[in-house]
């Protein structure tokens, strides 16, 4: 992905994302429309999604950047209690079980984390 020719938006420094720790909110774009996004690090890899629960599109974090449950194993919607796999966005329990968060394409280069707004994920038929 390092040779991606589209736009690349800086989110934060890599060191600002501890594994299974607080994430970062950022202004993303989806289908050409501004939308809230977030990024977390899980098992050493950055993961990014639109900040919208798959049940009802409210932002997941009640406290800014706090996307993980108490066990630090799942992403959780603070409003509905839906919980998601951090690597795929698949809802494992709660009111939207089986649905998914909308995954964003990120790249980590040179100690920085970037969002690639023009890229699409496999979930969207990209690749």
């Amino acid at each position: 992905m390092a040779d991606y020719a589209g736009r690349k938006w800086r989110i934060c420094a890599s060191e600002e994302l501890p594994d299974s720790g607080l994430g970062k909110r950022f202004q993303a774009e989806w289908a050409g429309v501004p939308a809230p996004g977030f990024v977390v690090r899980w098992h050493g890899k950055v993961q990014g999604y639109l900040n919208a629960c798959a049940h009802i599109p409210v932002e997941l974090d009640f406290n800014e950047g706090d996307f993980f449950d108490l066990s630090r194993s799942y992403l959780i919607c603070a409003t509905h209690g839906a919980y998601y796999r951090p690597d795929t966005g698949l809802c494992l329990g709660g009111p939207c079980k089986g649905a998914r968060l909308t995954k964003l394409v990120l790249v980590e280069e040179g100690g920085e984390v970037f969002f690639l707004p023009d890229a699409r994920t496999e979930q969207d038929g990209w690749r």
Side-chain angles (χ1 to χ4, degrees):
M1 193 83 57
D3 60 352
Y4 180 75
R7 296 177 294 161
K8 187 165 72 171
W9 299 355
R10 182 188 182 277
I11 299 171
C12 63
S14 295
E15 66 189 21
E16 294 179 54
L17 292 173
D19 207 74
S20 299
L22 289 178
K24 293 286 182 182
R25 297 169 65 144
F26 67 97
Q27 185 61 48
E29 182 180 286
W30 189 253
V33 177
F38 72 94
V39 60
V40 294
R41 184 178 304 281
W42 192 68
H43 289 186
K45 185 174 180 191
V46 293
Q47 306 288 341
Y49 299 94
L50 287 184
N51 193 359
C53 182
H55 173 227
I56 296 174
V58 297
E59 294 183 351
L60 273 71
D61 57 330
F62 180 75
N63 294 316
E64 188 169 336
D66 197 2
F67 296 100
F68 282 99
D69 71 341
L70 293 176
S71 75
R72 314 313 279 172
S73 299
Y74 303 100
L75 302 175
I76 190 163
C77 175
T79 303
H80 306 114
Y83 60 98
Y84 303 89
R85 284 185 53 133
D87 57 341
T88 66
L90 177 65
C91 183
L92 300 172
C96 53
K97 186 175 180 180
R100 289 182 185 269
L101 297 173
T102 301
K103 192 154 182 79
L104 301 174
V105 180
L106 305 176
V107 64
E108 192 168 16
E109 297 177 328
E112 304 282 337
V113 178
F114 298 92
F115 166 53
L116 305 178
D118 301 323
R120 292 287 176 255
T121 65
E122 291 178 14
Q123 173 182 326
D124 304 314
W126 177 69
R127 284 191 205 197

